[in-house]
Amino acid sequence: DGDPVAFQASSSHYLQAVWGGGDTMLAVGGYAGPWKTFTLVDLDHPGGAVQSWDAIALQSNYGYFVVAEQGGGDVVNANRTWIGPWETFRLFVH
């Protein structure tokens, strides 16, 4: 909980919160810089070790949370200032 994380696509691009948050997300960055680094928030074990299947949220460099619009099946943005069902993800660690 609270650790910085980055996500790299198979094309070697990093997932980026455009403008550091408050906007859309793209997989365009070539390195893991500030706009491409998120803070992992463990909702099941705050302050503890993240475990597989924990409910998590991802917070951008400027404090916005990642959201799967419509709860999934649509675009992903980094423009929420709160954590609700659409901003909650399950982490699978293998």
Side-chain angles (χ1 to χ4, degrees):
D1 183 44
D3 285 336
V5 295
F7 301 91
Q8 188 177 34
S10 62
S11 65
S12 297
H13 292 100
Y14 285 86
L15 189 60
Q16 166 184 309
V18 175
W19 305 112
D23 207 322
T24 61
M25 295 196 44
L26 299 171
V28 295
Y31 62 95
W35 289 4
K36 299 159 206 99
T37 303
F38 301 86
T39 300
L40 192 144
V41 179
D42 191 333
L43 303 172
D44 288 338
H45 302 99
V50 178
Q51 300 173 30
S52 197
W53 301 113
D54 277 359
I56 64 153
L58 298 170
Q59 191 171 30
S60 75
N61 189 42
Y62 290 154
Y64 293 94
F65 291 97
V66 174
V67 55
E69 297 293 358
Q70 306 300 315
D74 203 340
V75 298
V76 176
N77 292 310
N79 62 2
R80 294 299 200 277
T81 56
W82 65 90
I83 301 170
W86 293 0
E87 296 78 32
T88 302
F89 301 86
R90 290 280 171 192
L91 180 68
F92 174 68
V93 180
H94 63 99

